Amino acid sequence: MDDTSVRIDGNRLTLPGGATVRFIRTLRLPETGTHPLPPGLGEFPVRRVSDYADRVPETWRARGGVLLPVYLREAMWLSFAGTREPAALQVGAGKVCAVSGRPWSDRLSRDPQNYVVLPRQPWLDGINSGTGTVRQFVAVPLGMGATVEGQVTGEEVWGGVQLQAFTLNDAELARWREEERRRTELARGAARSGGAFGAPAPLSAPAAPGSAAGYGGAPRSAPAMGLGVGGSMRQEVYRDQRPLTDWAERPAGRVFVHLVTPPEWHRITGEAPPPSPVDRAAYTRAGLPWYDYYDQDAHDLAPTEPLQDVRPVGDWIGDDYEPWQPPAPHQVQPLGDAPGKPVQDGDW
C-alpha cells in the first residue's frame, strides 16, 4: 500500500492521494435567513498532537492527529484549494458525517452519499441542509448537547473534526491521468498554433477568498469543543457523478482534528491564539466581499433526515445580541459559473 501518512505544511493538511484541507476563520452568520458565503478571515493555526504529547490528554495522544484553537461560537469553513487529483473526502463532526448525518464509516456510501468530491467541491462551510444550502459550522463546548454529535447520537464522546480520504482505484486513476495528459498536450498544441482563447480549466478548486484582521474582544472559553450549526448559506454539496466502483474500497488516510479553546492552545503550544472573531458591523462597514458560487454542471445532494432536525447553537447557548449588518448588493461577488440560462450561439 502507498504511504498512508497525513502531511502538514504550515497550516495545510495533505491527505494521501493529494486531498488538501485548510481550516478558515470566517464571519458567523445570523441563525435566521439564508445568506451568501462569507469570505475567509485567515487560516486557523494547526499543530501536531505528537509535538505536545506531554501536555495533552491521554485520549488525544491515543487519537493522534492535529489541534487548532477556536473561540466559543466561532465559525469556520474548510477549503480544498490545492487538491488536484480526484478524491472522495469524508468530513465528520464528532464522528457524524457532515454530508449524510450517518455514523462515521470507513466505507464510501451513495445512499445517502457520505463524502464530498474533490476538486469539484471547492469548500465546505457546514452540514448539508439540501436545496442548495448548508448550515454553518460553529464551535460549541461539549457537554451541553448543542453539537451535531450530541443532537444526532444523543451523546458527546468525540468532538472535533474527522477527515478521511479515498483515491480512485488503480485502473480509474491511471485512466484519469492519461486523459489529463492528453488534454494538457492538446491545450499546449492549440496555444502554440495561436488557436487557444484563454487558459485551460484549472485542475484545483478555486482559491480561497481573502483574509482580513480580526476585531473585538475575546468571548468566554470552554474546555472541550465540537461543532454545532449556525446560520444557513447558499452552497451546494455536489452529487458524485462517478459510479461508486471507481473509488478505492479502503481509505488512503485519515486524521483527527482536535478543537481547543484559546487558553488551552496557549497552555499546550506556548503560542498566542489568533485574535477573536471579527465584529460584524466593522466587517460590513469595511466593504469586504461576500461570495455566491454556482456550478451549472453539478447536482446538489438532497438533505438527509438525521441532519434536518439539528438545531442552531443559539437554541442552546442563547440569543446573539450582536446586530446583523447585511452586505450591500455590490459586495456579493459571483464565483464559478454565472447564474442564469445559457445562450445558444449561431452562425455569424
Side-chain angles (χ1 to χ4, degrees):
M1 179 177 286
D2 295 335
D3 183 13
T4 59
S5 60
V6 175
R7 303 287 179 178
I8 182 171
D9 180 10
N11 298 321
R12 178 179 64 187
L13 297 178
T14 301
L15 283 79
T20 298
V21 182
R22 291 182 302 134
F23 299 87
I24 309 296
R25 309 183 78 210
T26 192
L27 185 70
R28 182 165 49 86
L29 300 174
E31 295 174 359
T32 57
T34 300
H35 307 272
L37 302 174
L41 304 174
E43 299 174 336
F44 285 94
V46 179
R47 302 292 181 263
R48 298 189 306 172
V49 168
S50 59
D51 289 337
Y52 307 97
D54 60 337
R55 304 181 195 176
V56 299
E58 182 178 350
T59 54
W60 291 25
R61 293 196 296 272
R63 294 169 186 170
V66 297
L67 65 154
L68 63 83
V70 289
Y71 290 92
L72 173 66
R73 258 183 166 168
E74 183 170 15
M76 72 163 58
W77 54 271
L78 278 57
S79 169
F80 309 129
T83 301
R84 295 190 174 275
E85 295 194 338
L89 181 70
Q90 294 175 320
V91 179
K95 295 190 71 173
V96 172
C97 177
V99 177
S100 70
R102 301 295 176 85
W104 189 251
S105 171
D106 62 357
R107 300 277 181 167
L108 296 180
S109 168
R110 287 291 288 276
D111 187 21
Q113 182 175 313
N114 66 350
Y115 58 95
V116 293
V117 182
L118 310 186
R120 162 148 261 174
Q121 188 83 38
W123 43 64
L124 185 67
D125 288 61
I127 67 169
N128 176 32
S129 50
T131 61
T133 65
V134 299
R135 306 267 301 284
Q136 190 174 39
F137 290 132
V138 176
V140 286
L142 301 185
M144 298 177 61
T147 62
V148 175
E149 176 186 5
Q151 295 188 60
V152 172
T153 70
E155 56 183 3
E156 294 177 320
V157 177
W158 301 99
V161 178
Q162 297 75 40
L163 303 171
Q164 186 165 256
F166 291 73
T167 62
L168 292 173
N169 64 44
D170 292 343
E172 288 301 321
L173 183 58
R175 182 179 296 111
W176 181 88
R177 287 174 174 172
E178 177 62 18
E179 290 173 352
E180 288 300 302
R181 184 189 65 79
R182 292 177 180 175
R183 184 194 64 79
T184 301
E185 288 182 352
L186 287 173
R188 287 174 178 169
R192 283 195 296 267
S193 66
F197 293 88
L203 299 180
S204 60
S211 62
Y215 301 82
R220 66 183 180 86
S221 60
M225 307 290 279
L227 289 181
V229 302
S232 176
M233 69 189 80
R234 292 186 288 274
Q235 181 180 85
E236 294 179 324
V237 180
Y238 298 130
R239 182 182 302 119
D240 189 5
Q241 296 178 339
R242 292 179 174 274
L244 196 60
T245 52
D246 279 8
W247 300 103
E249 292 188 0
R250 305 295 298 179
R254 65 178 191 170
V255 61
F256 197 110
V257 182
H258 303 269
L259 305 181
V260 306
T261 62
E264 281 295 285
W265 171 265
H266 184 265
R267 182 191 67 79
I268 292 170
T269 68
E271 300 178 36
S276 58
V278 69
D279 172 78
R280 293 172 175 173
Y283 179 91
T284 301
R285 285 196 304 270
L288 297 173
W290 296 67
Y291 299 90
D292 268 329
Y293 184 78
Y294 178 74
D295 187 336
Q296 68 177 14
D297 297 322
H299 301 281
D300 185 38
L301 290 175
T304 60
E305 186 175 351
L307 297 179
Q308 285 180 323
D309 297 327
V310 174
R311 292 155 49 200
V313 298
D315 287 2
W316 305 80
I317 300 177
D319 292 336
D320 179 6
Y321 294 106
E322 186 181 0
W324 173 243
Q325 298 287 331
H330 71 273
Q331 289 178 255
V332 181
Q333 301 180 7
L335 298 177
D337 296 335
K341 298 180 180 179
V343 177
Q344 185 175 0
D345 193 17
D347 294 332
W348 289 68

